[in-house]
Structure formats: structure tokens, C-alpha cells
Amino acid sequence: MRWDAEEKRRRILAAARRAFAEKGEDVTVARIARSAGVSVATVYRRFPTRDRLITDAYGDQWNDCAAMHAEALSDPDPARALRELIRTLCAYQLQDRGFTRAYVEAVVTGRGLDHERQETERVIARLLRQAQAMGTVRADLTVADFRLLIAAHHGVVLAAGPDAVTASQRYLALMLRTLQP
């Protein structure tokens, strides 16, 4: 890619991250294009679908999630790995609200960030099956329960405003207790 094309791509991704953080993923491509100083056609040439734009805008965050998944799957204690995965996802919700808004919306609706969402659910399902077989987490937990827990945490963070960290810690402590058999 030529340097000027790469620079436009970087500006589009930066504008998309800012817009998503402020307004969520429903922001128009036209707004992102204006903010990046490019045409709508330029955005669509580089990112033919909204999912592609969202995925690329959050590429660094997704790489962190992929590393987190690999670490969780290598833990010999699947219940501990689930707890750490939840702690890390909740910490991410406090640090990067734009990405987590996109991620939580995708998880709750089952649309968007398809690869990322499906990969996370695959990892959670595997750890959950292993932990249930060992009797270290509740037998009735499902991946859908984890979707609800993460979505609820997102709501707690948004509702708590300046007290988000304290509210997050309290909710996380309660949430982790629900995993116990």
C-alpha cells in the first residue's frame, strides 16, 4: 500500500474508534469519513462492510483478546481460567468503552464482530464444559449466562458514572460467586 493510502487508512480507523466510543456502532460512515477527511467512497473501498470497519478499528483490542483466550485455554484449572477471563473482560470494559460497547452489543444481539464473538464463545464453552466435568462450577451454567453476565457488567459500568470502578468491583465479586457449584 502506498504511504498516502496507508495514512488515509490510519485516519479512517482513528476516526471510527473515536466515533464508536462516542456514539456506538450506529454512527454513519459519512460522519466517520468527514472526521477522517476522506470521502465515503474511500471508506467503502478500504472497508467494504461495517463489520470489517469495526473489526479493523478494534484490531489491537482483538489481538489482546486472542492472547487472553490462549492463556485461558492453557490454564490447567478451567474454573480459574473462566474467572480470570471474566475479570479481564470486566477490566477491559472499564478501560475501553468504545470497544466493549461494540463487543457487548455483538454478544447480546448475536450480530457483528462475528469471528471475535464466536471465538470468545468457543473458548468459554470449552472452559465451561471442562470445569463442569470437574465439578468446579455450577452444572447449569451456559454460554448464554456468560453473555448476560458481561452485558450486565457493561450496564453497571455505564450506570455508575464516576463510581464505575467501585461498582465494577462489587458486581464482579457477586458475579463470580454465581459460578460456584
Side-chain angles (χ1 to χ4, degrees):
M1 191 179 295
R2 293 185 343 235
W3 73 267
D4 57 330
E6 181 58 34
E7 175 58 27
K8 284 181 185 178
R9 184 178 191 284
R10 278 196 294 273
R11 287 196 334 249
I12 292 167
L13 291 174
R17 281 189 293 273
R18 283 191 308 273
F20 296 155
E22 292 171 16
K23 301 288 184 184
E25 283 60 52
D26 292 334
V27 69
T28 65
V29 172
R31 179 177 176 189
I32 293 169
R34 266 193 314 278
S35 179
V38 300
S39 71
V40 171
T42 299
V43 174
Y44 279 118
R45 264 194 308 280
R46 284 159 180 76
F47 307 98
T49 66
R50 179 173 288 279
D51 273 354
R52 182 59 192 236
L53 178 59
I54 293 169
T55 299
D56 286 4
Y58 295 127
D60 290 342
Q61 291 89 336
W62 174 245
N63 289 339
D64 290 348
C65 286
M68 178 178 55
H69 293 161
E71 185 176 329
L73 290 173
S74 69
D75 192 323
D77 181 345
R80 180 180 56 218
L82 279 171
R83 289 189 304 271
E84 287 306 310
L85 192 60
I86 291 169
R87 282 187 185 99
T88 304
L89 287 171
C90 290
Y92 231 134
Q93 287 180 332
L94 289 168
Q95 295 169 6
D96 189 335
R97 296 190 185 173
F99 173 68
T100 56
R101 182 185 306 165
Y103 182 77
V104 169
E105 286 177 12
V107 165
V108 171
T109 65
R111 293 186 314 273
L113 297 175
D114 292 336
H115 171 74
E116 293 80 358
R117 178 177 40 81
Q118 291 166 2
E119 179 62 18
T120 299
E121 289 180 359
R122 183 189 68 76
V123 170
I124 289 171
R126 181 172 165 193
L127 292 171
L128 189 56
R129 279 191 310 271
Q130 291 172 345
Q132 286 169 331
M134 295 171 74
T136 54
V137 299
R138 291 173 49 156
D140 62 339
L141 286 175
T142 67
V143 173
D145 294 324
F146 281 89
R147 284 188 210 115
L148 291 174
L149 293 171
I150 296 302
H153 181 265
H154 182 65
V156 166
V157 169
L158 291 178
D163 297 326
V165 172
T166 302
S168 170
Q169 290 169 345
R170 176 72 177 140
Y171 178 77
L172 185 56
L174 293 170
M175 183 193 322
L176 292 175
R177 281 189 213 140
T178 67
L179 301 179
Q180 297 172 351

